[in-house]
Amino acid sequence: MPNPEAPAAPHIGRTVAESTPHWPAPPRRPSGAPNILLVLFDDVGFSDFGCYGSAIRTPNIDALAARGLRYTGFHTTAMCSTTRAALLTGRNHHAVGVGCLANFDSGFPGYRGKISPAAGTLAEMLRPHGWRNYMVGKWHVTPLTQTGPAGPYDGWPLGRGFDRYYGFMDAETDQYAPELVRDNTHVDAPGTFETGYHLSADLVDESIRMLADHRADAPDAPWLLWLAFGACHAPHQAPQELIRAYDATFAHGWDVERAQRLARQKTLGLVPPDTELPPRNDGVPAWDSLGEAERRVFTRLQSAYAAMLEHADAQIGRLLQFLRDSGQADDTLVLVLSDNGASQEGGPLGYVNAMGPYNLRPEDMAEKLRRIDDIGGPDTHSNFPHGWAMAANTPLKRYKQNTHGGGIRDPLVMAWPRGIAARGELRHPFCHASDLVPTLLDLCGVAPPAQIAGVAQLPITGQSLRATLADPAAPGRSTPQYFEMFGHRGIWSEGWKAVAYHPPGTPFDADRWELYHLERDFAENHDHADAEPERLAAMKALWWREAEANQVLPLDERFGARFAENARRAQGARSRFVFHAGMGHLPTDVAPDVRARSYRIEADVDIPAGGAEGVLIAHGDATSGYSLYLQDGHLVHDLNIGGLHQLVRSDRPVPPGRQRLGFRMDLGPMVQTPPLPGLGRVTVPSSRRGSLWIGDAPAGEIVFKTGFTSLISWSGLDIGRDRASPVSHYAAPFAFSGRLFQVTLTLAPQQELDGTAIGNAEMARQ
């Protein structure tokens, strides 16, 4: 019999009286499905949360762990873009086109730097079932050459299933002067260092605003909030009072710190009681062998890192308090994790401002010591040395970029009052970043779709961890999991792990594979390669099968050359850029590339009778960049290399009226330097001459000591102002007070870029 309560079928007659209307029912939250808050840290090592053994103060993360679970066998992909691709899609990162970084496309299917449309994101999968999806913070899964104001936007958050976005597209950004995007538009930060602004706090302010808006407008609809901090990626920036408070904590050095962390981990049950510390990573000296200046500087660099993490934890506390105050906490599954191990990009000595060394301006220990109190401030790009990254990854070997434990084993905390009964428990099985999407879909009662927007979808290869939420004995992943990054390789299967460190510049066939029984050897200390050659051979063969199935091939270690090729290919033969007044902001990968080439800047302006001042064009920030501006009636150009300001000032004032004001850079032929520490021989211009022009007449000249060798700046380009972090000696934004019609930048053909130098610099920003 027909159901009398069922809505009548829709019917269109000739008139309303003959027609039956129909209103489709909106999607409803599946029974018991949670809201999802995923908090993603950047470059935080396995041991850095307090609840994983650190002395760093993370009370809010620790409280979450006490109300839920900590996983000890959670693995990532060794880099940021790649882990994000796996976390968003539930598939292996090469398989979805993000085999390496979003910073370049190598021309092969597994290395496009952009998530394939055949790999739907969690947001795209949840949206048809009623979830509202909010993304806040670091994205970094869109090619950076596609992050300019003209897109294309299909790889931006709103193009991949998120309804609102506020954050930054690059691998990193200045925490006091970030390059922000709201939805699909570049916007200014709402504050500055001088007003107390910090990006971590801003991201949580926006998170609270989005959830408050959601609560007001659609309280019954479930939501996903993906909060990806810039912390603790370089630059390590945090309030000075927090930084100084950690000096005493870490004065004992990285060797004692590692031992203390391992002891805490054993007490907490995070690692087996017989776990031993591996030897110090290659090139890391004993702390006691360092001089007093080195110990002071290295301690302060670690303090900045720790303070950045504590500061971010405090912001998480504000967000969690909002969930409690708004009555949403019980229905919200919270995950807190890191995208890879602690970073090795600080090198053996760390940096106060990395932009100098990566443009061949040395930063010796005397300069580091002189600037020790600047560390963590607005004119620094600080990163800690290898020894502290090693301690962050305790008790694991190596670092981010590597496929040993230090690069791929990370903290994962889960808490959900109504869905996870465990309180303060541990889960030890092996699991992977790609396992989180199927876990979340399972908990939400959502099946992965066969198609999204008409595109057939790749199978989800991650495995749900739902059973482990309730059962400590439940197994984790049952299928093999491969790893690959910059030629470093690894494979896990049935409790065993084979891993190979790939020395750059050597044949892949020469790599030495190691074999560990991971279930009994947490820190990868006992190599079974010689004792079990048949098992190792089988694991290596399995790696090749998985690599072929997941678009890992061809193996390619030439990331430096790839960065150089990408820079040339992105702008192609374009040699003329015209910027009109009112233009917004160009990210550095979209802005004109003035490395290794002569160029000419020409600004068309109208100077009022009383004079004018301000920026005409600026690319960069206080750590590095160039700026052409008027000040005190004169035309000025500043080439800032790591804080070394090389200024030329016009020899006469700029007269009023319509004027053409310009700067010309003239480079000599490229030559190789003598061998440089850590870099070898680097290709650089034999000379750099700059000249100012007023109309058709020269107005000043300078011979530069150094210039952009590998990276102009992590910050992008502005016209008519210099946003929040000034390139030169003026107070930002120092907007031009005359009338600016346009700025034209004309590039000469580019000379050969040094792939090694560019690769080293680019890796420092990942």
Side-chain angles (χ1 to χ4, degrees):
M1 294 180 61
N3 181 358
E5 298 182 0
H11 173 71
I12 307 297
R14 291 187 174 184
T15 68
V16 169
E18 300 170 334
S19 305
T20 304
H22 173 69
W23 293 271
R28 295 184 179 276
R29 181 197 297 258
S31 178
N35 305 314
I36 301 167
L37 169 59
L38 190 149
V39 180
L40 181 58
F41 278 93
D42 202 337
D43 292 1
V44 168
F46 177 80
S47 73
D48 274 329
F49 297 160
C51 55
Y52 277 79
S54 172
I56 300 172
R57 293 178 285 273
T58 57
N60 295 290
I61 298 171
D62 299 350
L64 274 174
R67 297 194 296 270
L69 299 170
R70 280 165 293 165
Y71 284 76
T72 67
F74 177 66
H75 287 71
T76 56
T77 69
M79 287 295 284
C80 44
S81 295
T82 51
T83 292
R84 283 164 168 74
L87 286 173
L88 283 162
T89 68
R91 294 129 170 141
N92 285 315
H93 59 105
H94 295 85
V96 305
V98 190
C100 191
L101 296 160
N103 302 59
F104 60 79
D105 175 352
S106 73
F108 297 104
Y111 298 88
R112 293 298 184 190
K114 187 176 187 177
I115 297 174
S116 167
T121 68
L122 177 63
E124 289 173 313
M125 289 184 263
L126 291 177
R127 176 184 268 174
H129 301 273
W131 266 261
R132 310 300 199 267
N133 303 308
Y134 308 115
M135 167 70 203
V136 178
K138 174 175 171 175
W139 182 241
H140 202 211
V141 282
T142 297
L144 297 186
T145 53
Q146 297 183 13
T147 61
Y153 301 111
D154 60 326
W156 292 36
L158 268 60
R160 296 311 309 254
F162 288 94
D163 299 298
R164 298 175 70 178
Y165 174 58
Y166 181 81
F168 59 100
M169 303 289 288
D170 206 335
E172 65 163 49
T173 196
D174 189 291
Q175 300 294 297
Y176 302 119
E179 296 190 288
L180 291 173
V181 168
R182 185 182 296 280
D183 296 334
N184 286 342
T185 303
H186 290 268
V187 296
D188 290 348
T192 64
F193 172 78
E194 289 75 18
T195 64
Y197 177 89
H198 191 284
L199 179 60
S200 292
D202 186 22
L203 295 179
V204 169
D205 287 345
E206 286 292 328
S207 298
I208 291 172
R209 176 181 175 180
M210 289 181 185
L211 295 186
D213 289 348
H214 179 100
R215 189 71 169 165
D217 189 40
D220 295 328
W223 50 260
L224 162 67
L225 173 62
W226 192 288
L227 169 58
F229 284 111
C232 282
H233 196 293
H236 296 156
Q237 294 170 316
Q240 283 296 325
E241 62 272 17
L242 291 181
I243 295 175
R244 308 291 175 85
Y246 276 106
D247 282 354
T249 303
F250 296 114
H252 54 224
W254 48 63
D255 293 323
V256 170
E257 183 67 17
R258 287 178 84 205
Q260 290 183 351
R261 292 191 185 197
L262 179 58
R264 293 189 200 104
Q265 289 171 336
K266 291 178 179 180
T267 300
L268 294 168
L270 291 159
V271 301
D274 61 350
T275 302
E276 301 170 346
L277 280 176
R280 283 185 292 270
N281 290 335
D282 297 343
V284 176
W287 182 263
D288 290 345
S289 72
L290 301 174
E292 181 182 356
E294 292 172 308
R295 291 196 298 268
R296 285 187 60 200
V297 169
F298 294 167
T299 298
R300 182 62 59 84
L301 290 170
Q302 165 66 4
S303 294
Y305 172 88
M308 194 179 194
L309 179 53
E310 179 182 346
H311 181 257
D313 177 85
Q315 312 317 311
I316 293 172
R318 292 197 299 118
L319 180 54
L320 296 177
Q321 186 61 51
F322 171 78
L323 294 180
R324 290 191 289 270
D325 292 344
S326 60
Q328 301 179 84
D330 287 349
D331 293 319
T332 300
L333 169 61
V334 182
L335 304 92
V336 182
L337 59 150
S338 178
D339 62 354
N340 45 242
S343 161
Q344 62 176 298
E345 283 83 53
L349 302 177
Y351 297 112
V352 177
N353 180 8
M355 286 305 305
Y358 281 108
N359 280 305
L360 305 190
R361 178 181 173 245
E363 184 183 79
D364 61 19
M365 193 55 61
E367 180 173 353
K368 293 180 197 292
L369 187 60
R370 179 179 63 81
R371 297 203 64 197
I372 190 169
D373 290 334
D374 296 334
I375 290 171
D379 60 346
T380 65
H381 193 285
S382 301
N383 203 347
F384 57 13
H386 284 163
W388 285 117
M390 174 185 68
N393 294 330
T394 301
L396 306 167
K397 293 179 179 177
R398 300 196 185 274
Y399 318 95
K400 168 187 171 182
Q401 300 184 33
N402 304 141
T403 51
H404 283 77
I408 59 174
R409 198 162 190 165
D410 285 287
L412 169 62
V413 175
M414 285 194 201
W416 177 18
R418 285 197 177 147
I420 298 177
R423 295 293 181 266
E425 295 183 15
L426 298 171
R427 298 292 184 264
H428 299 296
F430 180 96
C431 51
H432 187 259
S434 61
D435 297 334
L436 290 190
V437 160
T439 302
L440 296 173
L441 292 178
D442 196 356
L443 294 171
C444 292
V446 171
Q451 290 190 344
I452 293 178
V455 178
Q457 295 293 286
L458 294 167
I460 288 181
T461 51
Q463 294 182 280
S464 174
L465 303 174
R466 182 174 186 171
T468 69
L469 302 186
D471 183 2
R477 174 176 282 261
S478 61
T479 57
Q481 178 60 52
Y482 78 89
F483 301 92
E484 189 278 333
M485 189 59 59
F486 304 124
H488 308 302
R489 290 169 282 172
I491 184 83
W492 175 92
S493 180
E494 297 180 343
W496 288 82
K497 178 184 176 183
V499 61
Y501 175 83
H502 177 67
T506 63
F508 289 107
D509 288 344
D511 290 348
R512 184 186 179 279
W513 283 80
E514 303 158 31
L515 180 65
Y516 299 105
H517 194 183
L518 212 57
E519 290 187 352
R520 299 180 182 178
D521 185 11
F522 192 100
E524 302 175 9
N525 277 318
H526 304 289
D527 183 4
H528 294 259
D530 293 335
E532 300 204 43
E534 292 182 0
R535 184 188 296 275
L536 179 60
M539 295 284 281
K540 290 165 65 176
L542 178 60
W543 186 92
W544 285 106
R545 291 196 297 273
E546 290 292 305
E548 186 171 1
N550 286 278
Q551 302 188 146
V552 178
L553 307 179
L555 289 175
D556 185 359
E557 64 167 6
R558 300 173 302 148
F559 58 91
R562 294 300 184 205
F563 282 119
E565 291 169 4
N566 195 73
R568 285 192 295 267
R569 185 175 60 251
Q571 294 178 357
R574 185 179 181 186
S575 62
R576 189 169 182 266
F577 295 76
V578 179
F579 304 118
H580 294 276
M583 187 202 82
H585 180 73
L586 285 183
T588 200
D589 288 80
V590 179
D593 187 354
V594 300
R595 297 172 296 178
R597 69 201 324 164
S598 299
Y599 59 91
R600 183 173 71 252
I601 301 171
E602 191 171 80
D604 183 3
V605 301
D606 191 358
I607 307 295
E613 66 175 9
V615 170
L616 303 172
I617 181 173
H619 183 174
D621 56 30
T623 67
S624 186
Y626 66 87
S627 180
L628 181 65
Y629 57 98
L630 273 75
Q631 191 174 56
D632 299 328
H634 289 256
L635 183 63
V636 183
H637 183 274
D638 188 353
L639 183 64
N640 171 3
I641 303 296
L644 173 65
H645 293 272
Q646 302 169 92
L647 288 95
V648 56
R649 185 172 184 266
S650 66
D651 54 19
R652 58 189 183 276
V654 176
R658 190 76 175 258
Q659 301 288 344
R660 285 184 297 110
L661 306 178
F663 170 80
R664 297 180 187 177
M665 175 70 82
D666 294 299
L667 300 187
M670 302 296 280
V671 297
Q672 277 200 329
T673 66
L676 299 171
L679 293 174
R681 295 181 181 274
V682 179
T683 304
V684 298
S686 56
S687 63
R688 295 182 178 89
R689 290 182 177 273
S691 57
L692 296 173
W693 292 73
I694 300 175
D696 295 324
E701 186 174 87
I702 185 173
V703 176
F704 295 110
K705 298 177 182 178
T706 186
F708 305 121
T709 301
S710 52
L711 187 68
I712 299 169
S713 175
W714 280 277
S715 297
L717 181 144
D718 295 295
I719 296 295
R721 62 176 190 149
D722 187 359
R723 296 178 320 120
S725 178
V727 172
S728 192
H729 302 305
Y730 44 70
F734 201 41
F736 182 59
S737 61
R739 185 174 181 185
L740 175 61
F741 296 97
Q742 67 181 40
V743 177
T744 303
L745 201 155
T746 306
L747 304 173
Q750 196 164 49
Q751 302 186 65
E752 186 64 28
L753 290 167
D754 191 304
T756 300
I758 290 172
N760 288 335
E762 288 283 358
M763 287 311 304
R765 89 193 254 211
Q766 305 312 320

